[in-house]
């Protein structure tokens, strides 16, 4: 099987910090991959590089066989990669459902000047996504002062509404209470499996990683230092020492 | 699960009624006080331009140079009459709007790269360059004396000035309603809502695959066209165009009217413009030289107590009623 995403020799540094120092990896269709690593090891930077938010000084990113290196986020999004953010990025002037409807409308081309955003077709698709994420009850509420957990969910709903083929999630369970983490991940994984979306998620909670990831990649100082099935990786003393700080 | 969100058509209806009420007021006032007809016509010209500025404000963009497009419209009308010999009112309005729209598209392609203070200052800079050109190119523009604009024909008929003013006033009112309804639709469409989205989070919008620059270029072009149409109406109403139309104080007035009226709905710009022009007119009669202070105080009241502008006040009253 051909990889859906291939990254080769990716480099970027900020001042003296090497945030990506020769990252190489292949991700295959329908995989659900966890990225773990200490704070500041370059996990978010990797997502930024893949989606064109920052450009690598060296290396390449290939999505579905075509290069997306140095392309703008909007171009990469249109190619089929969506992203949810470590710090949720919402349209705080709009209600929850409007946030998702904007995402739905964007897919059909934003150049619609006479059809309302709240058009039945957009509304229906947005509702489907909100129901999947169990956000239906607060669909018409404002997003400006939502609690962090809901902001996180909304951010993911916006990304899912784009119907991506590859979804990048940056710490989906941060800000979500321990009690709700598994429920949230069950929901996300359920949606991804149903829609056949390949996904990559950055995660700090090893219980979540162990339970949901097909494969784990370990980041350290801008490099992938290990990769493999969770049972194997989470038992490696080397990894535990670097990532979790136990020796 | 079924959602019953706020009905689009309900909201649309409300704006229709508000605009019709405004239109009735704009026609009725001059019946009582005939010379107010001119004030109303000029106010609608300003309201159209202020609506353009208000649309940009929804995207978080302040243009303090939009009088540029009022001047482009006014001078385009003057030149179309003088050099091209175009004399028909409605043709003039259409052609002028098209010309201003084209100028907005060209300048907008450059402006759409900038945000915040840079956007504001660049608009100001270009409007001031245009002002200087209008003032200095004496042979072409008549310099600071400006250009005379004759009374156009209406559907081929030559009218005396009184009749023409009346026709112009009615046409302006009709244009206000039609244009406002079109803009209302646009603002509620994905392209229009994307504008508010840019204000909140441009990065997220790009991550939806949308070009924020494209969205801004669209609104900029439309806002220029509106200001141009306003400029054309002003030119034929006054019968004279001067470089001051493009002066920075005129641009400041447009921002003031937009904020005063409120940017949350299309009627706001016109409410602001009527208020502004009426205060100015009456204050000039009763308390000469004090109108600036009156408008200033009104603006302070709006900023402190009515962040949604005068239009927001109207909506608040509506909401109270609805809750009973
Ligand atoms: N745009 C930027 N400008 C300057 N430095 C940056 C930038 N982005 C990231 N860095 C630096 O690069 C390093 C990696 O940051 P990154 O955000 O990728 O870490 P991370 O692995 O996501 O950490 P965390 O677990 O805390 O989210 C950090 O030292 C960070 O300060
Ligand atoms: Mg991070």
């Amino acid at each position: 099987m051909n990889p859906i995403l291939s990254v080769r020799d990716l480099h970027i540094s900020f001042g003296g910090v090497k945030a990506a120092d020769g990252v190489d990896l292949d991700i295959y269709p329908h995989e659900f991959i966890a990225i773990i690593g200490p704070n500041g090891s370059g996990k978010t930077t990797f997502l930024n590089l893949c989606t064109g938010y920052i450009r690598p000084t060296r290396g390449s990113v290939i999505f579905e066989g075509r290069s997306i290196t140095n392309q703008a986020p909007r171009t990469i999004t249109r190619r089929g990669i969506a992203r949810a953010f470590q710090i949720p990025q919402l349209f705080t002037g709009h209600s929850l459902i409007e946030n998702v409807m904007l995402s739905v409308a964007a897919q059909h081309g934003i150049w619609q000047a006479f059809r309302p955003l709240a058009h039945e077709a957009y509304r229906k698709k947005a509702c489907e996504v909100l129901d999947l994420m169990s956000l239906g009850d607060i669909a018409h509420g404002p997003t400006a002062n939502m609690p962090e957990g809901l902001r996180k969910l909304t951010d993911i709903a916006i990304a899912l509404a784009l119907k991506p083929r590859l979804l990048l999630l940056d710490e989906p369970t941060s800000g979500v209470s321990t009690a709700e983490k598994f429920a949230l991940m069950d929901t996300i994984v359920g949606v991804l499996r149903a829609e056949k979306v390949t996904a990559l998620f950055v995660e700090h909670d090893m219980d979540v990683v162990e339970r949901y990831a097909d494969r784990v990649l370990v980041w350290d100082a801008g490099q992938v230092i290990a990769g493999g099935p969770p049972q194997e990786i989470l038992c490696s003393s080397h990894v535990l020492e670097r990532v979790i700080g136990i020796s | 699960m079924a959602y019953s969100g706020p009905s689009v058509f309900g909201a649309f209806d409300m704006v229709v009624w508000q605009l019709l009420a405004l239109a009735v007021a704009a026609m009725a006032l001059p019946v009582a006080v005939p010379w107010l007809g001119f004030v109303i016509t000029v106010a609608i010209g300003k309201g159209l331009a202020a609506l353009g500025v208000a649309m940009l404000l929804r995207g978080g963009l302040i243009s303090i140079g939009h009088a540029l497009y009022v001047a482009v419209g006014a001078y385009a009308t003057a030149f179309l009459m003088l050099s091209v010999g175009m004399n028909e009112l409605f043709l003039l309005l259409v052609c002028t709007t098209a010309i201003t729209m084209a100028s907005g598209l060209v300048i907008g392609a450059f402006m759409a790269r900038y945000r915040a203070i840079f956007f504001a200052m660049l608009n100001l800079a270009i409007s001031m360059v245009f002002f200087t050109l209008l003032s200095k190119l004496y042979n072409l523009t008549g310099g600071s004396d400006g250009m005379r604009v004759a009374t156009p024909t209406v559907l081929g008929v030559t009218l005396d000035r009184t009749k023409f003013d009346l026709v112009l006033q009615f046409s302006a009112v009709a244009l206000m309603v039609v244009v406002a309804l079109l803009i209302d639709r646009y603002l509620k469409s994905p392209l229009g809502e994307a504008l508010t989205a840019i204000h909140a989070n441009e990065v997220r919008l790009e991550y939806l695959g949308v070009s924020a620059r494209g969205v801004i270029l669209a609104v900029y072009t439309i806002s220029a066209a509106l200001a141009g149409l306003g400029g054309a109406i002003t030119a034929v109403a006054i019968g004279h165009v001067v470089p001051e139309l493009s002066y920075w104080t005129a641009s400041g007035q447009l921002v003031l009217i937009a904020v005063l009226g409120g940017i949350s709905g299309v009627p706001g710009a016109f409410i602001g413009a009527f208020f502004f022009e009426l205060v100015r007119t009456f204050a000039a009669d009763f308390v000469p030289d004090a109108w600036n202070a009156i408008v200033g105080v009104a603006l302070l009241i709006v900023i402190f107590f009515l962040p949604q502008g005068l239009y927001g006040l109207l909506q608040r009253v509506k909401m109270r009623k609805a809750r009973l």
Side-chain angles (χ1 to χ4, degrees):
Chain A
M1 196 163 22
N2 290 326
I4 186 167
L5 187 80
S6 289
V7 172
R8 290 288 172 271
D9 197 31
L10 227 42
H11 283 81
I12 184 83
S13 40
F14 302 107
V17 182
K18 288 181 174 166
D21 188 15
V23 176
D24 273 294
L25 56 85
D26 286 311
I27 292 165
Y28 294 89
H30 312 317
E31 275 193 302
F32 194 43
I33 292 186
I35 291 182
I36 62 175
N39 290 115
S41 57
K43 304 180 298 292
T44 300
T45 301
F46 174 67
L47 302 193
N48 284 339
L49 287 166
C50 287
T51 55
Y53 191 66
I54 49 181
R55 293 178 175 196
T57 43
R58 211 165 88 199
S60 64
V61 184
I62 316 280
F63 177 61
E64 295 179 334
R66 289 158 74 193
S67 171
I68 53 168
T69 327
N70 295 332
Q71 304 237 1
R74 66 168 176 281
T75 317
I76 294 174
T77 304
R78 285 194 211 128
R79 286 277 192 87
I81 302 182
R83 170 177 186 186
F85 296 79
Q86 186 166 355
I87 300 160
Q89 302 290 321
L90 310 181
F91 303 119
T92 44
H94 287 100
S95 69
L96 207 173
I97 193 167
E98 284 169 339
N99 269 263
V100 181
M101 286 194 296
L102 271 164
S103 182
V104 174
Q107 263 180 92
H108 296 267
I110 200 78
W111 294 91
Q112 282 277 1
F114 287 101
R115 191 186 225 204
L117 175 67
H119 188 272
E120 206 40 53
Y122 297 149
R123 182 184 291 271
K124 220 176 124 218
K125 288 207 171 112
C127 285
E128 279 168 22
V129 176
L130 288 175
D131 279 342
L132 279 175
M133 300 291 293
S134 312
L135 288 169
D137 294 339
I138 53 164
H140 293 288
T143 46
N145 296 311
M146 278 195 317
E148 182 67 8
L150 288 178
R151 293 172 64 80
K152 218 72 213 194
L153 285 176
T154 307
D155 195 49
I156 297 168
I158 294 172
L160 277 173
L162 287 169
K163 300 264 178 258
R165 290 188 297 286
L166 176 64
L167 179 64
L168 310 177
L169 302 163
D170 203 345
E171 303 193 16
T173 67
S174 77
V176 179
S177 72
T178 322
E180 289 168 341
K181 273 185 182 174
F182 290 134
L184 167 63
M185 287 306 289
D186 281 340
T187 307
I188 296 175
V189 172
V191 175
L192 296 178
R193 296 248 187 277
E195 313 259 324
K196 298 201 170 20
V197 182
T198 312
L200 205 150
F201 71 113
V202 176
E203 187 55 70
H204 277 298
D205 187 321
M206 293 309 136
D207 292 335
V208 172
V209 171
E210 189 170 11
R211 187 148 157 185
Y212 296 98
D214 300 327
R215 186 150 69 100
V216 182
L217 298 170
V218 186
W219 244 251
D220 190 29
Q223 292 181 325
V224 186
I225 57 163
Q231 313 81 286
E232 203 175 285
I233 294 293
L234 297 179
C235 293
S236 145
S237 58
H238 177 56
V239 168
L240 291 180
E241 190 184 326
R242 283 305 306 151
V243 179
I244 317 171
I246 347 170
S247 43
Chain B
M1 203 167 156
Y3 296 96
S4 52
S7 151
V8 194
F9 296 102
F12 187 74
D13 273 347
M14 200 168 85
V15 172
V16 172
W17 290 120
Q18 287 166 348
L19 286 167
L20 287 181
L22 215 54
V24 169
M27 310 251 247
L29 268 180
V31 173
V33 190
W35 56 268
L36 273 183
F38 174 76
V39 177
I40 293 291
T41 307
V42 170
I44 290 176
K46 282 232 170 91
L48 286 165
L51 179 56
V53 172
M55 287 160 65
L56 289 168
L57 281 172
R58 284 169 82 107
L61 297 166
I62 301 181
S63 167
I64 38 179
H66 244 54
L68 164 72
Y69 298 104
V70 175
V72 168
Y75 275 84
T77 301
F79 274 109
L80 283 173
M81 293 187 81
L82 207 71
S83 314
V84 185
M86 191 183 282
N87 265 318
E88 172 55 41
L89 175 65
F90 297 113
L91 195 58
L92 279 168
L93 294 182
V94 170
C95 291
T96 297
T97 308
I99 290 169
T100 333
M101 196 162 181
S103 70
L105 183 67
V106 172
I107 298 175
F110 167 71
M111 290 294 175
R113 300 154 162 263
Y114 299 94
R115 302 290 179 272
I117 193 74
F118 305 102
F119 180 87
M121 288 299 144
L122 279 170
N123 275 287
L124 175 64
I126 293 186
S127 73
M128 289 312 283
V129 168
F130 193 65
F131 168 77
T132 310
L133 287 177
L134 291 177
S135 311
K136 301 295 173 201
L137 297 177
Y138 188 85
N139 289 331
L140 199 63
T141 64
S144 45
D145 295 340
M147 293 167 76
R148 221 180 76 77
V149 179
T151 305
T153 56
V154 180
L155 302 174
V157 183
T158 311
L159 300 171
D160 68 45
R161 192 64 209 189
T162 323
K163 284 220 184 76
F164 176 80
D165 283 343
L166 205 62
V167 169
L168 183 62
Q169 183 206 329
F170 277 50
S171 311
V173 170
L175 269 174
M176 168 181 80
V177 174
V178 171
V179 168
L181 286 177
L182 287 174
I183 298 298
D184 182 61
R185 283 219 93 163
Y186 157 74
L187 288 176
K188 287 167 182 164
S189 74
L191 191 59
E193 294 287 358
L195 205 55
T196 328
I198 286 178
H199 191 14
N201 199 330
E202 186 169 337
V203 170
R204 177 44 118 175
L205 196 67
E206 291 274 335
Y207 269 99
L208 297 186
V210 174
S211 159
R213 272 191 205 174
V215 172
I216 289 175
L217 180 57
V219 69
Y220 194 89
T221 306
I222 297 170
S223 76
L226 287 176
L229 178 60
I233 292 173
T234 310
V236 288
I238 298 177
H240 195 181
V241 297
V242 286
E244 276 68 27
L245 284 169
S246 175
Y247 202 59
W248 65 270
T249 50
S251 295
Q253 263 181 25
L254 296 179
V255 178
L256 192 150
I257 289 172
V259 173
L260 200 65
I263 63 167
S264 62
V266 284
F270 296 101
I271 293 172
F274 287 143
F275 178 85
F276 183 87
E277 286 299 320
L278 289 174
V279 165
R280 177 153 87 158
T281 307
F282 285 108
D285 278 356
F286 299 114
V287 270
D289 303 325
W291 75 272
N292 267 319
I294 296 176
V295 170
V297 169
L299 189 64
L300 283 176
I301 292 173
V302 162
I303 289 172
F304 285 118
F305 301 107
L306 301 168
Q308 303 287 319
L310 296 173
Y311 179 62
L313 182 70
L314 192 77
Q315 283 186 314
R316 231 194 264 180
V317 174
K318 271 264 158 64
M319 293 241 246
R320 288 238 178 90
K321 271 194 188 148
R323 244 180 249 156
L324 285 177

